[in-house]
Amino acid sequence: MDELHHDDQHHDLIAPIEQSASTKAAAKKARRRRRVLALLITLGVFVAAIAIGAQFLKPLLGMDKVTDYPGPGTGSVSITVPEGSGPKAVAVALVENKVVADADAFVKEFLNDGGELSPGEFTFRTEMKNSDAVDVLVNKDSSKVMYFALSAGLRINESLEAISKGSGISLQELNALNQAPAQFGVPSKAKNLEGFLAPGEYRFPLGTPAKDIIQKLVTTTVDELKSQGITEPAKQYDTVTIASIVQAEGGQADYGNVAGAIYNRLKPNNVETSGLIQSDATVTYGLGKKSFHLTEEEKADKSNTYNTYANVGLPAGPIGSPGKTAIDAAAKPTPNDYLYWVTINLDTKETKFSKTLAEHNTYVEQYNAWCTANPGRCV
């Protein structure tokens, strides 16, 4: 009995030992789970910190910048591209009007397209894709509109032909409007619309009446004159006439000086040239041709009312459509003492100015030398 009792006591002692080992294993597993959980929490906090930090860093690094809209855009935005504008200036205007998202991205798209930038008024939508906005500028959507482009310096017949071709409006209808200029608000001295059809690239909705198209072009020119403080009709007409000569006679960089020289020649006390502008471009306009050379007989013909070699003062009227830059130069000429000018390189439009005929003749020799070196250009 004692032995049996002893055995019972022995088993009682072993049982607690087995229970303790199980408890330790469970505790170990619990600690492992807590360590894993702590690690996951730490990792989560670390990832969250990176995400939050990135949000703060993005603006600093420019990483949150939207470079393109998904398109196609909404509404209508009219943007005017002035003569001489570059892609960057246009891009800035487009961003300011919320047409495109980023100027640099737009310029890159424009340059990749390889198109040419022309002056004029363009209609965009807000929040357009860069590629769609480029298509508007390079006229890839011309099938949806009446489109035409007028270069600065075109004569009225050339402008009307371009408008007719691009709009489908008959040349006869356009000529009839041209011969009734008063209805468009031009000065009463104007016998037609020569000089008042603003150069540029134009898009009009299909079916736009001819009169509305012409009015838009004329208004653009008149508004430019008014912006320069030229509001009196007679002065507007004279300014456009001078601007058309400036457009024909010099490179864009020299417009101000050419205008200044013309005004010097028109001064009553000018005894050097006696009020004669002496512009080849005016004479050829009156002759109905385009040429860089005139005969002495042509220069002496007073019956040509556009002959500024034989007739004192301004010609009978404008000799083409001046661009904005030429109009601005005629309205506010560069003060100078020049009386003569000659473009010595027809490619670069480099123009030489002088105060005396003797100096001028040396530059004319340079022009003749260029003509000899470039056969067929000075005809």
Side-chain angles (χ1 to χ4, degrees), residues 12 23 38 46 63 70 104 107 110 125 139 156 163 168 206 217 241 256 329 353 361-362 376:
D12 288 341
T23 300
F46 180 70
M63 296 170 61
D104 291 336
V107 170
F110 181 85
R125 294 179 294 276
N139 192 38
I156 188 67
I163 295 170
L206 294 174
L217 273 60
T241 299
F353 296 87
N361 286 336
T362 64

Side-chain angles (χ1 to χ4, degrees), residues 123-305:
T123 301
F124 299 88
R125 294 179 294 276
T126 57
E127 299 191 1
M128 295 180 71
K129 286 179 63 65
N130 288 328
S131 57
D132 290 344
V134 168
D135 287 349
V136 172
L137 280 175
V138 300
N139 192 38
K140 288 186 178 178
D141 62 346
S142 60
S143 61
K144 304 173 186 177
V145 296
M146 300 164 74
Y147 166 83
F148 56 87
L150 305 180
S151 300
L154 290 183
R155 295 177 179 178
I156 188 67
N157 62 311
E158 296 171 317
S159 293
L160 295 180
E161 287 172 4
I163 295 170
S164 177
K165 183 178 179 180
S167 67
I169 298 169
S170 73
L171 195 55
Q172 181 180 7
E173 182 179 359
L174 293 171
N175 271 319
L177 293 172
N178 175 48
Q179 296 304 321
Q183 63 184 309
F184 298 104
V186 300
S188 60
K189 290 175 65 176
K191 300 300 185 289
N192 54 41
L193 294 173
E194 184 69 275
F196 286 90
L197 300 184
E201 194 168 13
Y202 293 93
R203 292 168 174 80
F204 293 91
L206 294 174
T208 301
K211 184 176 179 180
D212 292 350
I213 292 175
I214 296 299
Q215 186 64 70
K216 170 62 180 176
L217 273 60
V218 172
T219 299
T220 299
T221 297
V222 174
D223 284 349
E224 184 59 32
L225 289 164
K226 291 178 179 177
S227 74
Q228 293 296 324
I230 312 296
T231 57
E232 201 271 315
K235 189 173 182 182
Q236 287 181 341
Y237 191 71
D238 289 347
T239 301
V240 169
T241 299
I242 292 173
S244 69
I245 301 173
V246 168
Q247 183 75 56
E249 288 280 352
Q252 184 167 312
D254 301 306
Y255 285 169
N257 276 323
V258 172
I262 290 174
Y263 281 108
N264 290 341
R265 282 174 166 258
L266 294 174
K267 290 178 179 178
N269 60 348
N270 167 29
V271 295
E272 174 77 16
T273 57
S274 303
L276 297 171
I277 294 177
Q278 296 179 316
S279 163
D280 292 356
T282 65
V283 181
T284 57
Y285 180 89
L287 293 171
K289 68 176 186 178
K290 288 189 174 182
S291 173
F292 291 104
H293 293 293
L294 296 170
T295 66
E296 291 305 314
E297 289 76 17
E298 289 171 333
K299 290 181 180 181
D301 182 11
K302 280 192 170 225
S303 67
N304 178 355
T305 58

